[in-house]
Amino acid sequence: MADFWQQVVAGLASGSIYASLALALVLIHRATGVINFAQGEMATFSTYIAWALTTNYGWSYWPAFAVTLLASFAGGVAIHQGIIRPNEKGSVLRVVIVTIGLLLALNGLVTLIWSGEVRAMQSPFPTRTIDIAGVAISIQDIGTIGVVLATVVALWALFQYTKVGLAMRAAAVNPAEARLVGVRVTWMLSLGWGLAAVLGAISGMLAAPSLFLDPNLMAALLIYAFAAAVLGGIDSPIGAVVGGLTLGVGLNLIGAYVDFVGADLRLPAALAVILVVLLVKPSGIFGKSEVKRV
Amino acid sequence: MTRRIAFALTALVLTLATGVTAALAGPARSSADPGVTPTSILLGTTSPLSGSASAYASVARGADAYFKYVNGRGGVNGRKIVDTIVDDAYNPAQTVQATRQLVEQDKVFAVFNGLGTEQNLAVRDYLNAQKVPQLFAASGATVFGTEAGKYPYTIGLQPSYQAEGWVLGKYLARTQGAAKVAVLFQNDDYGKDLLNGLKKGIERSRVRIAAAQPYEVTASDVQAQVAKLRSSGANVFAVLATPKFAIQAYVYANKLGWKPKLSLTNAVSSASNIMQLASEGGTNKVVEGSVSIVFLKDPTDPKWKKDAAMKLYRSIMKRYAPSANANDVYHVYGMAAAWTAVEAIRRAGKDLTRDGLVKVVSTMNLSGNPFLLPGIGLKTGPGDHFPIEQMVLQRWHKGAWKSFGGIWGYRTA
Amino acid sequence: MRHSRALAPIAAFVGLAVIVVVLPSFVSAFRAQQFAYVAIYLTALIGLNILTGYTGQISLGHGAFMAIGGYTTAILMTEHGVKDIWTIPVAAVVTGVVGFLFGIPALRLSGLYLALATFAIAVSMPAVIKRFEGFTGGGGGLNLFGLPELTASLEPVTVLGQELTFNDWLYYLCWTVALVGYVIAWLMLRGRTGRALRAVRDSESAAQSSGVSLRSYKTLAFGVSAAYAGVAGSLFAIATTFVNPDTFPIALSILLLVGVVVGGLGSLVGLIAGAVFIQFLPIWSQQISKSPGAPAVVSGVVLIALMFVLPMGVAGLVARLRTLTKR
């Protein structure tokens, strides 16, 4: 029985990491209507910045963390203003191609600057494990779930209770009308990209201590993050968290107890989840169904 | 009328633009074998410069640096070796196209040090049909040695994965009594080859494999597998994985509080800098006492600090690959391969032919490769198409590897 | 009036066909083989264009359809001794049916959701192929080189009195298939079908209210475009003489979509430009730098730059040139 709970705990740990990246995807989609294929690579790049600051330049963790978040925010805004905005007026395809180009360029840039070698990343949390009835629970994983939940609360507060949040929602849902009431739509979209970049950076810095840092850190996670976001509802931060945790635990249990699936079909299983959800309830568990106006 | 002309002209321009670059491809060589001139030898290498396996690009880089060093000292038999490296992004379909480019456009003398098992397999038939040497394929797949009869132009270099697994298995059989082994392995030919070797090594002993969990190269983590392995009740943990996953496995096993009697890991993941990451500053209990095999000199192992060969290695890296990370052991492997290639080419004589080179590498007995451990030689002959079959066992103790037990040899049946 | 409108494209097409036929005499056999791959990508792009350009559905999964076609060919050749050219129509039918079946549930998805769903399929395809090892040869893949069913792989073949080595044979095979495929697509899209598909792209609700059955046309578009990708995959397997799960990675699906956008949706010249782009971009990026990671940076930057410089793709550039020459 302890084995079952161990798989559940392991699943919650992986799931919280999926959730953290899913939050970035959800934020970008909610704020700008775009699916950003480069989200993972942006997060990887940010994590490498944090790594370089702490390892190569000997900074201590929290100042490096803060600077990384600032740099990521600036980067996200710059990317939106410089690369995405000029392509927004065209078809959706142009934006997709541009985010793909960004994915390639960032992934290559990370390898070019820091090489493909595996690195260790410091964790903000102690690495101790506590043992409860034969199940090992790591403080780091509890910390990760804590940060993810805190982020969800912060996002929710932002969108529900602040003027900026309201402006961002307006800019995403109906840019033309938002402009009429004085919302600076372009800057709201850039703000969305900046915040999503920050969330991505946080996700990377949560993942790297246990998954270890190499250029493909987030690439492997991106699919799971998409699955989590779709499962929970691509516009819902709470959905991203519920989706991520459910996915993590679900995949672990299926992989452990259903022999047909095993380890090699974990990824297709996650993708089957995406497909089934998209077909049965495209708006996900917590999403609102889109009503198309004719 | 003008529309039609403009349309046809654009199509013409597009196709000719790429055609013109074709016409400007290298000059035809008129000597007996392509890729050999009185002053140079052209080799070709496919390497994963982009994509998820780009960490292995260091193998080609190390070899290239060594060739430049040799050229700086006059080359081989008066000829300089030029190694053209082409990116295949670790995709075998790209390897096929890249290899065709090397053979048909660049007209290389031999394909050398191509990285990857599937990647080499994809071009093996083609190269043998074209009678182009597939020299020292950078893969431990056992088939590159066992199928020499069918593919005489193909030869590997490093100890086969099966040999590695066998040595580890034999070590268990001789020292661990009735141990139960839990294996984490990569779900491809590489991992499966290692596992097969391990199974062969423990044949006719009391060691049993209690559980074996595969993982995909595309996985984000191996936590689920390690958790399952722990629950098998095994007391030996065999980590047959590539570096990132090996580190994750050690760290996660430690997190779970699993204390196996012994853990094992394979050569690819045994470099000291990787073990340092896994040891988590000395706190990781699973890593302590880990056993692995080694055949190269590890640049981050303090015992080689004063070693002349390692000093040479570092000076070559500094001069010819200054932006590369000299602590990366894959560069050392590349140099070991290049050293062997230089010696083989030298012995093939001034009248250099492809068949001549193949003959030399199929019956060679070389010692003194400075990048291999002392005592490990390169030997092939009729019925033995594996250049390196010797390895040394080492144990990780308090943050460093200590070799023990002398040199193990393996003859693939 | 219909005749003169058709005349210009027909003449241009004939001109292109002539160029295709004589080109191998001017370039090396190796270059001919590279151009054969251009024809392979062109075939896939023709299909993707029907789905994305005409019907407005985004697919990031056409690499998976190529995989189905490629494996169909490989399995038929290795297990059942079928000659390579006869596997091509089978691959078309098999992949077309799969595409059609996928189109049915895909009806409920649109825009980015469809992109995600097709992305999911493409990413999982290698793992699924590996899983059914007995059938597909698993991770080790299937080797076609030297099989008697593979034309010209060891001995030159004689076609129409001409002796062709492997590279030249491949070139003519692939271009013949691509050009025939283009003609079929052109005929299909000229009439009602083309107008209906474009109506679906421009406004699904408007199309529906004009009596266009969304269900029929969307699934038709999926089926047909998948069939083209299947044929491309089949030719790809024949050309590469080797298939394994990693020869059809997600990067291929992404490249196909990139090719169709860079080429510009809708015109033959655009599609050829897209195919050339897919084939030669990795090669060109390497010329700039061979440091690990550098080719990817170059490719990414080029993609982004192209969206700025040629937002309507090469086809857009050609269209602009045309309007210039008209003046």
Side-chain angles (χ1 to χ4, degrees):
Chain A
M1 207 47 201
D3 299 331
F4 171 82
W5 285 110
Q6 190 66 68
Q7 289 288 356
V8 170
V9 166
L12 286 175
S14 317
S16 58
I17 293 180
Y18 305 154
S20 64
L21 186 58
L23 277 174
L25 291 171
V26 161
L27 178 57
I28 271 240
H29 187 263
R30 187 144 175 210
T32 69
V34 155
I35 289 187
N36 180 12
F37 285 97
Q39 197 69 59
E41 301 311 311
M42 286 167 66
T44 308
F45 197 86
S46 304
T47 315
Y48 266 95
I49 294 178
W51 174 84
L53 288 175
T54 52
T55 312
N56 289 355
Y57 295 100
W59 287 33
S60 61
Y61 190 84
W62 292 109
F65 181 82
V67 168
T68 302
L69 291 190
L70 281 173
S72 306
F73 182 80
V77 170
I79 288 175
H80 176 257
Q81 286 284 329
I83 300 179
I84 309 292
R85 190 168 60 104
N87 289 294
E88 267 164 1
K89 297 212 176 59
S91 69
V92 153
L93 263 182
R94 272 174 63 186
V95 177
V96 169
I97 298 292
V98 160
T99 58
I100 288 174
L102 202 52
L103 183 162
L104 289 174
L106 284 175
N107 186 281
L109 200 57
V110 165
T111 308
L112 193 59
I113 301 178
W114 290 294
S115 100
E117 222 183 295
V118 180
R119 319 270 186 198
M121 179 73 200
Q122 242 183 299
S123 169
F125 305 110
T127 48
R128 274 180 11 250
T129 325
I130 46 180
D131 189 289
I132 299 182
V135 176
I137 304 180
S138 123
I139 310 265
Q140 210 173 304
D141 293 336
I142 297 180
T144 304
I145 298 183
V147 169
V148 168
L149 290 175
T151 313
V152 171
V153 170
L155 276 182
W156 178 72
L158 173 74
F159 281 123
Q160 285 294 113
Y161 292 116
T162 66
K163 270 179 85 174
V164 170
L166 185 60
M168 283 174 73
R169 282 161 62 196
V173 166
N174 203 328
E177 290 190 11
R179 278 205 179 87
L180 287 176
V181 298
V183 171
R184 301 186 60 191
V185 168
T186 315
W187 281 107
M188 288 301 111
L189 296 177
S190 295
L191 184 59
W193 272 80
L195 284 178
V198 166
L199 288 182
I202 294 177
S203 173
M205 289 192 276
L206 288 174
S210 41
L211 302 185
F212 292 86
L213 184 60
D214 76 347
N216 297 310
L217 174 66
M218 298 315 251
L221 290 172
L222 190 67
I223 289 294
Y224 294 108
F226 270 131
V230 165
L231 177 61
I234 197 137
D235 278 340
S236 162
I238 298 182
V241 176
V242 170
L245 294 175
T246 313
L247 193 68
V249 174
L251 285 180
N252 266 23
L253 291 178
I254 296 179
Y257 296 105
V258 178
D259 273 329
F260 177 72
V261 173
D264 33 345
L265 288 188
R266 262 175 71 110
L267 186 57
L271 298 166
V273 165
I274 294 185
L275 285 177
V276 166
V277 170
L278 285 180
L279 293 173
V280 170
K281 188 173 192 260
S283 42
I285 302 178
F286 286 90
K288 298 183 195 41
S289 299
E290 220 185 80
V291 177
K292 272 218 276 221
R293 297 180 59 206
V294 177
Chain B
M1 195 54 198
T2 34
R3 262 168 64 191
R4 264 188 276 155
I5 293 177
F7 185 79
L9 270 179
T10 323
L12 185 68
V13 164
L14 276 173
T15 24
L16 279 184
T18 25
V20 164
T21 30
L24 300 173
R29 298 190 203 279
S30 54
S31 64
D33 264 353
V36 181
T37 71
T39 52
S40 68
I41 302 168
L42 189 58
L43 299 177
T45 301
T46 52
S47 176
L49 299 178
S50 41
S52 54
S54 57
Y56 301 126
S58 313
V59 170
R61 219 160 179 204
D64 183 62
Y66 187 76
F67 287 138
K68 292 194 164 94
Y69 161 75
V70 167
N71 291 344
R73 301 173 99 225
V76 185
N77 293 339
R79 294 182 173 112
K80 296 204 166 36
I81 299 182
V82 177
D83 187 10
T84 306
I85 302 177
V86 184
D87 182 18
D88 69 349
Y90 211 58
N91 175 346
Q94 295 274 68
T95 316
V96 168
Q97 290 199 57
T99 306
R100 286 177 184 164
Q101 178 190 318
L102 290 170
V103 171
E104 298 171 30
Q105 180 189 276
D106 302 328
K107 306 227 194 297
V108 297
F109 172 67
V111 164
F112 160 76
N113 202 22
L115 194 117
T117 303
E118 310 300 346
Q119 291 67 16
N120 275 294
L121 282 175
V123 296
R124 186 172 58 161
D125 286 81
Y126 168 77
L127 288 171
N128 277 270
Q130 297 271 350
K131 298 197 169 34
V132 175
Q134 188 176 16
L135 195 63
F136 306 142
S139 153
T142 319
V143 291
F144 292 129
T146 52
E147 295 180 357
K150 206 170 164 208
Y151 300 106
Y153 286 84
T154 302
I155 191 166
L157 182 71
Q158 68 197 82
S160 68
Y161 299 133
Q162 210 171 297
E164 259 193 71
W166 182 87
V167 170
L168 291 172
K170 266 278 174 282
Y171 169 73
L172 289 180
R174 289 188 194 173
T175 62
Q176 300 299 312
K180 288 187 291 196
V181 189
V183 184
L184 175 72
F185 68 100
Q186 191 158 293
N187 193 23
D188 59 8
D189 285 343
Y190 156 79
K192 291 181 191 168
D193 229 349
L194 281 167
L195 181 57
N196 277 336
L198 186 72
K199 285 182 178 164
K200 276 207 172 122
I202 60 175
E203 257 171 25
R204 289 174 309 214
S205 76
R206 291 183 295 150
V207 181
R208 294 280 170 272
I209 295 193
Q213 282 285 308
Y215 72 88
E216 294 296 318
V217 192
T218 51
S220 59
D221 64 82
V222 291
Q223 295 177 348
Q225 288 89 337
V226 173
K228 207 159 179 215
L229 287 171
R230 179 210 190 195
S231 66
S232 70
N235 53 4
V236 174
F237 182 26
V239 181
L240 306 177
T242 45
K244 180 170 89 153
F245 298 107
I247 298 173
Q248 280 188 16
Y250 275 117
V251 168
Y252 195 62
N254 192 46
K255 236 190 218 175
L256 288 177
W258 187 14
K259 293 190 181 58
K261 194 164 70 144
L262 173 69
S263 58
L264 303 171
T265 188
N266 58 305
V268 156
S269 300
S270 68
S272 294
N273 50 343
I274 294 173
M275 294 303 285
Q276 293 289 5
L277 290 180
S279 73
E280 299 183 271
T283 60
N284 188 307
K285 302 198 175 53
V286 184
V287 135
E288 173 62 33
S290 234
V291 167
S292 178
I293 67 110
V294 62
F295 59 95
L296 290 171
K297 288 181 183 164
D298 177 351
T300 51
D301 192 330
K303 71 164 148 304
W304 302 120
K305 211 165 168 190
K306 300 257 171 64
D307 178 72
M310 278 294 105
K311 285 191 176 157
L312 174 66
Y313 162 75
R314 284 193 185 273
S315 70
I316 295 178
M317 287 300 289
K318 196 162 175 203
R319 176 120 187 250
Y320 297 107
S323 58
N325 176 12
N327 284 335
D328 184 348
V329 68
Y330 297 141
H331 292 119
V332 179
Y333 175 82
M335 288 208 194
W339 183 95
T340 317
V342 165
E343 291 307 308
I345 290 174
R346 195 197 309 282
R347 279 165 179 67
K350 198 89 174 51
D351 189 13
L352 187 59
T353 62
R354 285 167 168 167
D355 287 347
L357 182 64
V358 168
K359 209 157 165 219
V360 166
V361 301
S362 305
T363 46
M364 66 181 174
N365 191 348
L366 297 173
S367 58
N369 187 323
F371 307 103
L372 299 179
L373 292 181
I376 292 187
L378 296 143
K379 191 153 186 277
T380 54
D384 174 13
H385 208 62
F386 293 91
I388 304 178
E389 284 180 294
Q390 295 167 303
M391 302 158 252
V392 170
L393 284 171
Q394 53 183 7
R395 183 177 291 117
W396 183 260
H397 180 58
K398 292 213 179 109
W401 284 116
K402 251 188 108 64
S403 318
F404 66 93
I407 297 180
W408 287 64
Y410 178 75
R411 285 303 296 283
T412 316
Chain C
M1 290 305 103
R2 293 269 296 278
H3 289 294
S4 69
R5 273 193 64 188
L7 205 53
I10 289 179
F13 182 82
V14 169
L16 176 68
V18 167
I19 294 176
V20 164
V21 167
V22 301
L23 192 61
S25 328
F26 294 99
V27 298
S28 66
F30 169 71
R31 199 60 81 176
Q33 175 245 184
Q34 284 188 316
F35 289 149
Y37 277 94
V38 171
I40 292 175
Y41 294 127
L42 175 61
T43 309
L45 290 183
I46 292 171
L48 189 55
N49 182 50
I50 292 175
L51 186 63
T52 308
Y54 274 83
T55 325
Q57 310 292 305
I58 303 180
S59 168
L60 271 171
H62 267 54
F65 290 130
M66 279 184 72
I68 295 175
Y71 264 90
T72 304
T73 287
I75 293 172
L76 285 176
M77 284 174 67
T78 52
E79 309 275 316
H80 303 282
V82 179
K83 191 121 177 63
D84 48 9
I85 31 183
W86 302 128
T87 64
I88 300 175
V90 178
V93 168
V94 169
T95 319
V97 167
V98 172
F100 183 83
L101 291 176
F102 178 76
I104 297 176
L107 284 174
R108 311 194 51 188
L109 304 170
S110 61
L112 293 169
Y113 288 109
L114 182 62
L116 254 185
T118 50
F119 185 69
I121 292 183
V123 171
S124 58
M125 187 56 81
V128 170
I129 294 175
K130 261 188 173 177
R131 197 39 155 100
F132 296 102
E133 200 167 337
F135 191 48
T136 63
L142 297 169
N143 195 353
L144 304 176
F145 193 92
L147 282 180
E149 293 82 3
L150 185 65
T151 312
S153 81
L154 294 173
E155 298 286 328
V157 68
T158 314
V159 174
L160 298 176
Q162 280 266 52
E163 206 187 60
L164 296 174
T165 54
F166 185 66
N167 286 347
D168 289 329
W169 152 253
L170 203 59
Y171 172 90
Y172 284 116
L173 173 68
C174 296
W175 275 101
T176 307
V177 171
L179 292 178
V180 166
Y182 181 77
V183 169
I184 295 176
W186 188 70
L187 289 172
M188 191 187 102
L189 295 168
R190 279 191 70 195
R192 254 184 74 187
T193 318
R195 285 200 298 276
L197 292 177
R198 260 172 290 163
V200 169
R201 173 191 70 194
D202 294 335
S203 166
E204 285 193 13
S205 30
Q208 246 180 327
S209 21
S210 338
V212 171
S213 161
L214 279 186
R215 167 171 284 125
S216 319
Y217 281 102
K218 271 169 119 171
T219 46
L220 175 72
F222 254 102
V224 170
S225 85
Y228 273 89
V231 168
S234 170
L235 292 171
F236 188 84
I238 293 171
T240 313
T241 71
F242 177 81
V243 289
N244 94 340
D246 297 319
T247 57
F248 300 102
I250 181 64
L252 179 61
S253 291
I254 292 177
L255 266 181
L256 288 174
L257 187 67
V258 165
V260 124
V261 175
V262 164
L265 304 167
S267 82
L268 177 60
V269 169
L271 294 174
I272 293 179
V276 167
F277 185 76
I278 295 177
Q279 170 64 9
F280 288 101
L281 179 65
I283 298 176
W284 293 329
S285 339
Q286 281 184 65
Q287 311 289 45
I288 299 189
S289 165
K290 293 216 176 171
S291 303
V297 176
V298 172
S299 302
V301 168
V302 166
L303 264 187
I304 296 176
L306 273 175
M307 286 296 100
F308 277 89
V309 171
L310 292 178
M312 302 305 291
V314 171
L317 175 68
V318 169
R320 264 189 284 164
L321 281 177
R322 262 197 231 164
T323 48
L324 282 178
T325 54
K326 260 171 99 175
R327 265 180 233 130

